[in-house]
Each structure stands twice: as structure tokens, then as C-alpha cells.
Amino acid sequence: MNYTALDFETANASRASVCAVGFVRVENGKIVKSAHQLINPQMRFDYRNEAVHGITEYDVRNAPIFSDYWDELRQYLSDIVIAHNAAFDISCLRSTLDVYGLAPTNFKYLCTLRISRKTLGLQSNSLDSLARALNLGYFKHHNALEDAAMCAKLFEILRERTDVSKFAKDFLEPKDRLRGVYKKAEIGHKTKHPFPTPPISRGECEKFFQPELFKFAKIIGSPQEIRKPGGAGQGKVNLEELLDFDFSPIDFSKKFVVTGIFSSISRKEAESLILYRGGEIQRTVDSQTDYIVVGGVKPPSWNRGEYGEKIDTALKIGRARFLSESHFLREIQ
């Protein structure tokens, strides 16, 4: 089996803040390529992340940004990718591709953490614990290259004990293969990266993807057009479309208003999570509000385009980002 063991380190809680990439390419049981690359995430570094991996903003000052390194990395992500706690590393890759508007590649991936839990029956399945328990040797944990190399060693043992193929997942489903193109249009308004102004054309899609995939595309207007009532000839704003619109990373140091009925947690619990991450809770919406977190229970009034005072005020001001309950919980964890 040929595969690439992959590991990311991040500068802060955002999955798009990749500051180091390490990978090991294994073909026919032998390592044929290994690489470690520091990445400038163009984001702040959190002291808690620095304490884990030891990488600082000074270290990456002359490092390439992810978009400059993507062509080098993607050639090794063509068949099978493995990672320990793949949910984190795959999320980092997806988020960073979205932020830079990069066309994604497709591959199957496997998580050695998940396979270990199902197969080995050990009390702890962290990478360093497994390395000790299985006598895989010393390595510098949270160095991206050494983590990737240890992940490859672990994977070889797991392959001997179980059919790992049953754990494989696709990085992209067919409906997601245009993601990099239309995300480029969405995010280009809010970053300094020179992405095209939406809506993007069918011709631009053709540069990246096959025409038969166009039926999965989501071609949208600009954030300004979507956020303003009556913008782009839409009449009343569809709040559900707003909540599904923007999946770029959340800055939890900003000002939040929490509203609506939550299905997974209480509103107070949501506010506590924001405060714990360094954010500020506002009781009313004003021109300084950065985010509106909207509970996942849809009231009947939404069908009539009536969203309540807080949401209506935010729509009139047109500044705050709207976050669905599911998006908020996914990013806050």
C-alpha cells in the first residue's frame, strides 16, 4: 500500500492557522520522501499553541504562506493519506484550502487514532502513549515531521492486525468538488488575497472542474448583497441562507450576540464558551457587534421573514457575521 502520513500544527485555535506541515511518503513499505515546512499563517499566535509545538511568529516570519506551498504538498495527497486524529488534520486542510480559495484535491484518508481505539484495546491512544506501549522508539511529539513519521510506523503495525481499508473515508464527496472555486468567491471580499469578485462564471469553473460537476456548484452573490435586505433583487433576506453562507474561521476574541433557541446546549452555555475563549458578550446589537450566534431551533416566524429584533437590527447595520449553532459548536471545540 502506498500512502502519505500527514501532520499539521496550528498557530491558534483556528483550523486555518496552519504554521507547520510534516509528511512522510511511503511506497512499497519504504519511505521515499519526507518533508517539514514552516508556514506563515498570517494570523496571530496563541501562547497555548506555542507552548505545545514551540513555533513562534518570529520563526515563520520568512516562511511561505500555505497557498505558495500547496502545489508542492498536493502531489503527495493523491491516493491515501493517514493521520493520527485525522478529524483535526483533515479539518485543517479543508479550512486552509477554503481561506486561500485553493482548488481541492481528492483522496481517501484513514485515522490511526480511530483504528487504534477499535483494534488495540489500550487505555490511552495518544500518539506518544502508543509509541511507548508498542516500543516504536523516541520521537519529538508535536514536531510535524516526527509526528507524521511515527504515525507511519504505527500504521504499519495496525495494517498487520486489521483490515484498515474498512476505515477509509473520502476527503471530498462529488457535491463538494467545486468547494474551492466558490469559496474563493465568498472569502475574497474579506481577505487581502487577490481572489475574483463573485459571482464567478461558468467559464471560471471550467478552469478547475469537469462540466458534469456544475450541477453541484453553489454560485452566490457577494456578502454585501446577501446581508442587506432587498440586496441583489432578493426581497426579504433568507436567514437560513445567511447561516450557511460563511464557513471561514471565527475570531473568538471579538464581540458576540447570542440569540434564538439552542438545540444542543443552552444559550448561557454558549455564552460561557465564548467568554472562556476570550470573547465579549453583548446583550444588544450595535455597530461594534462582530458575530450573531443563532440557535438551531427554527421558529415558525422565520417562514414569514420575521427574525426578531436582534437579527433585524444586525441585518440593517450589515456588519456582523451570522453563525449557525452547528458551525459555532464545530469551531468552538
Side-chain angles (χ1 to χ4, degrees):
M1 179 185 290
N2 298 335
Y3 60 88
T4 299
L6 180 67
D7 186 75
F8 291 112
E9 301 296 332
T10 57
N12 54 54
S14 168
R15 299 292 171 88
S17 65
V18 170
C19 63
V21 181
F23 71 86
V24 171
R25 178 65 182 175
V26 178
E27 295 182 359
N28 300 318
K30 295 182 179 180
I31 295 176
V32 297
K33 172 73 174 180
S34 62
H36 181 268
Q37 178 64 58
L38 292 178
I39 300 292
N40 186 340
Q42 299 181 299
M43 297 184 188
R44 64 176 179 83
F45 275 69
D46 190 300
Y47 71 92
R48 287 163 289 199
N49 292 63
E50 291 178 349
V52 171
H53 50 58
I55 302 170
T56 67
E57 189 170 354
Y58 182 82
D59 295 327
V60 303
R61 66 193 185 284
N62 296 320
I65 61 176
F66 188 85
S67 58
D68 292 337
Y69 186 64
W70 174 232
D71 285 342
E72 168 70 17
L73 177 61
R74 71 179 299 167
Q75 62 184 307
Y76 299 103
L77 307 181
S78 59
D79 43 20
I80 297 174
V81 172
I82 64 168
H84 200 74
N85 190 16
F88 172 80
D89 295 287
I90 294 301
S91 176
C92 286
L93 181 57
R94 284 177 173 149
S95 297
T96 310
L97 290 174
D98 283 350
V99 164
Y100 286 95
L102 298 169
T105 185
N106 197 21
F107 52 82
K108 291 189 179 295
Y109 69 90
L110 299 103
C111 177
T112 52
L113 174 61
R114 182 177 176 225
I115 300 172
S116 297
R117 286 172 174 168
K118 296 285 187 179
T119 305
L120 300 179
L122 298 177
Q123 186 173 4
S124 174
N125 291 281
S126 64
L127 191 57
D128 54 340
S129 295
L130 290 171
R132 288 193 298 269
L134 300 173
N135 296 315
L136 298 181
Y138 171 80
F139 74 112
K140 187 178 179 181
H141 196 20
H142 295 299
N143 173 284
L145 176 57
E146 296 202 21
D147 279 0
M150 184 55 67
C151 182
K153 286 185 180 181
L154 173 61
F155 186 64
E156 290 299 320
I157 291 177
L158 294 173
R159 285 180 60 196
E160 296 173 358
R161 303 193 181 193
T162 189
D163 176 14
V164 295
S165 62
K166 63 185 178 182
F167 296 97
K169 295 183 178 181
D170 282 323
F171 178 68
L172 292 180
E173 296 296 334
K175 66 181 180 180
D176 296 323
R177 291 178 187 168
L178 283 167
R179 188 179 190 185
V181 174
Y182 67 72
K183 274 293 178 184
K184 180 166 62 173
E186 294 176 10
I187 297 169
H189 281 267
K190 302 190 292 300
T191 71
K192 59 186 177 183
H193 305 294
F195 300 151
T197 300
I200 57 178
S201 67
R202 182 185 182 93
E204 186 173 2
C205 290
E206 288 176 340
K207 296 178 183 178
F208 298 96
F209 297 99
Q210 298 299 317
E212 60 266 21
L213 295 177
F214 289 166
K215 61 184 178 181
F216 298 113
K218 177 184 177 185
I219 309 301
I220 61 173
S222 70
Q224 292 84 354
E225 290 173 333
I226 290 181
R227 284 179 177 166
K228 292 181 180 178
Q234 295 182 48
K236 289 186 177 180
V237 171
N238 185 330
L239 183 59
E240 291 180 278
E241 289 182 0
L242 260 180
L243 293 175
D244 290 336
F245 164 68
D246 191 348
F247 288 93
S248 54
I250 301 170
D251 185 351
F252 284 101
S253 66
K254 299 292 187 178
K255 297 180 179 180
F256 290 74
V257 168
V258 180
T259 188
I261 303 171
F262 285 70
S263 58
S264 302
I265 59 175
S266 69
R267 191 186 299 187
K268 285 188 176 181
E269 288 173 327
E271 292 176 347
S272 297
L273 288 170
I274 293 168
L275 292 171
Y276 179 77
R277 292 288 294 274
E280 179 181 337
I281 298 297
Q282 294 181 303
R283 296 303 172 194
T284 58
V285 177
D286 58 30
S287 60
Q288 302 301 311
T289 304
D290 298 293
Y291 296 94
I292 311 292
V293 183
V294 183
V297 178
K298 176 185 173 183
S301 59
W302 281 24
N303 294 327
R304 302 189 298 271
E306 300 170 3
Y307 303 124
E309 182 178 350
K310 291 178 181 177
I311 293 175
D312 285 342
T313 301
L315 289 170
K316 289 177 183 177
I317 295 173
R319 178 182 183 275
R321 273 181 58 190
F322 286 82
L323 306 175
S324 67
E325 179 180 348
S326 59
H327 181 200
F328 168 78
L329 292 175
R330 187 165 57 247
E331 288 289 320
I332 197 78
Q333 292 176 354

